[in-house]
Amino acid sequence: MIELEGVPELIDPVMVAAFEGWNDAGDAASTAVAHLDKEWKGEVFAALDAEDYYDFQVNRPTVWLDGGVRKITWPTTRLSVVRVGGEKPRDLVLVRGIEPSMRWRSFCNELLGFAHELGVELVVILGALLGDTPHTRPVPVSGVTSDADLARTMDLEETKYEGPTGIVGILQEACTHAGVPAVSLWAAVPHYVSQPPNPKATLALLNRLEDLIDLRIPLGELPEDARAWQLGVDQLAADDSEVAEYVQSLEEARDTAELPEASGEAIAREFERYLRRRDGGGGPASQAGGHATESGESASFLRDGPAGRTRPPKPQLPEADAESGTDQGTGPDEQVGPDDKGPDDTSEDS
């Protein structure tokens, strides 16, 4: 471990973590933590020693120039702290890194050591997975925990998943065994448009996190990015009859499954969020990407490929109410990673 700066005494701290890799479909989870760090100007205070946890042939260091001097950035996991003021101040400890290649138990123990020293009251781990969900509907976000009492008090699902897992699942179990309350939030990303970024999924994770920790999160340009993303994907789906038909079948299945929910707690939750944002100077349009019908990039954006793609260009947007992500839908029990890899593709060693 490399300590970079001292940390002041924190107020009711919550640790929020996300890791690039297997549990980060569309880069939705890692982008959410990066957004928090940017909006609240996080100050890095520690980094884990890259030599201990990363295979540099898998996650290679990068070389860059700083005023003509060559420097190296090593793949690692960094911790930063953000001080959130207001009527109900609460500080966040942000953990952002890459899923480690080895020594997972030691990796988790080191993070838990920081949590203990800083007095962290809750650990929230963000993840994203591929699912059979249409891009035209609110992004499903599931909140799960291994703690039965926490599931009951925070209205979460108690995880029943069995099978291959990533660092998100390992860290949650490590927290449970250490007696640290821990929750995982999983966003479902449409598997037919899996390339990063996916600002709509990122936005849905932040909305769910906001509800969970009762803290208003500034969204910046994310709502506009989410609308632009959906505009592009709508057009691309319309240009491919097979994809359009498939999306329609997903919509019908989703709407049928959620029909009983449409008049219950989901509406109450969205109305409460709307009121909070209105009182805080925001509006409903600041919550999530809305439906859209205009153009984007070529149809290849819809296909899985070897390389990630940038988001579609932002077209002119019509005046429309935005739609926010909800917390219903598929959870990690149905799929554990952002691709079709099997157990051999992740390290369960530590």
Side-chain angles (χ1 to χ4, degrees):
M1 183 271 292
I2 307 170
E3 291 192 13
L4 303 182
E5 292 183 24
V7 181
E9 185 175 349
L10 304 181
I11 301 173
D12 300 331
V14 174
M15 179 177 280
V16 182
F19 304 94
E20 299 173 19
W22 203 51
N23 297 143
D24 193 24
D27 291 353
S30 58
T31 302
V33 173
H35 177 85
L36 296 174
D37 191 72
K38 176 183 176 183
E39 290 295 323
W40 275 318
K41 298 178 174 57
E43 298 180 8
V44 176
F45 66 88
L48 305 190
D49 192 338
E51 292 277 352
D52 290 341
Y53 305 114
Y54 295 98
D55 179 346
F56 299 139
Q57 291 183 322
V58 176
N59 298 292
R60 292 186 178 273
T62 57
V63 179
W64 55 287
L65 292 175
D66 181 14
V69 178
R70 293 175 67 83
K71 295 188 176 182
I72 296 176
T73 298
W74 297 93
T76 189
T77 294
R78 292 180 172 83
L79 290 84
S80 58
V81 62
V82 297
R83 315 303 303 268
V84 184
E87 293 182 4
K88 297 163 63 175
R90 168 165 245 180
D91 297 330
L92 300 182
V93 178
L94 304 180
V95 180
R96 181 185 173 201
I98 305 169
E99 183 176 66
S101 307
M102 51 202 172
R103 303 185 67 226
W104 284 19
R105 284 193 290 266
S106 297
F107 180 87
C108 292
N109 287 338
E110 194 161 350
L111 291 180
L112 285 170
F114 279 109
H116 178 72
E117 284 188 35
L118 298 171
V120 166
E121 299 180 349
L122 175 69
V123 175
V124 182
I125 315 161
L126 306 183
L129 46 81
L130 298 184
D132 293 329
T133 182
H135 73 278
T136 53
R137 296 294 185 264
V139 176
V141 178
S142 298
V144 297
T145 180
S146 299
D147 187 321
D149 293 334
L150 199 61
R152 184 171 55 257
T153 58
M154 301 190 75
D155 192 23
L156 302 166
E157 299 175 35
E158 188 176 356
T159 181
K160 304 295 184 183
Y161 172 74
E162 296 178 304
T165 189
I167 194 61
V168 171
I170 297 299
L171 180 56
Q172 178 168 312
E173 291 307 307
C175 290
T176 300
H177 289 301
V180 178
V183 175
S184 296
L185 299 181
W186 291 89
V189 171
H191 64 82
Y192 58 90
V193 57
S194 59
Q195 295 86 352
N198 189 318
K200 188 172 180 179
T202 294
L203 195 57
L205 281 170
L206 291 175
N207 281 335
R208 187 69 173 90
L209 176 66
E210 187 177 57
D211 293 340
L212 186 71
I213 63 177
D214 193 23
L215 190 66
R216 185 172 183 271
I217 297 172
L219 298 178
E221 296 182 358
L222 267 177
E224 180 185 351
D225 292 343
R227 286 192 293 269
W229 179 86
Q230 186 163 324
L231 281 168
V233 180
D234 278 348
Q235 184 60 51
L236 299 177
D239 291 342
D240 188 320
S241 60
E242 291 184 5
V243 173
E245 183 177 346
Y246 179 63
V247 171
Q248 183 178 1
S249 69
L250 292 178
E251 290 173 339
E252 292 172 353
R254 174 79 178 270
D255 294 344
T256 300
E258 294 192 348
L259 188 59
E261 187 73 21
S263 59
E265 294 182 3
I267 292 177
R269 243 188 329 262
E270 294 307 313
F271 186 64
E272 288 173 1
R273 182 181 292 131
Y274 162 74
L275 291 177
R276 283 201 305 272
R277 290 208 167 278
R278 186 188 65 176
D279 294 342
S286 67
Q287 294 181 44
H291 295 292
T293 56
E294 297 186 17
S295 62
E297 286 185 342
S298 65
S300 61
F301 183 77
L302 291 168
R303 308 298 186 188
D304 291 336
R309 288 179 175 267
T310 57
R311 65 182 172 224
K314 298 178 183 177
Q316 294 296 317
L317 301 177
E319 291 291 333
D321 289 337
E323 158 190 90
S324 64
T326 64
D327 59 346
Q328 273 69 49
T330 51
D333 291 4
E334 298 184 25
Q335 183 173 341
V336 297
D339 49 31
D340 293 327
K341 297 177 181 178
D344 292 337
D345 295 307
T346 59
S347 170
E348 293 295 329
D349 299 328
S350 49

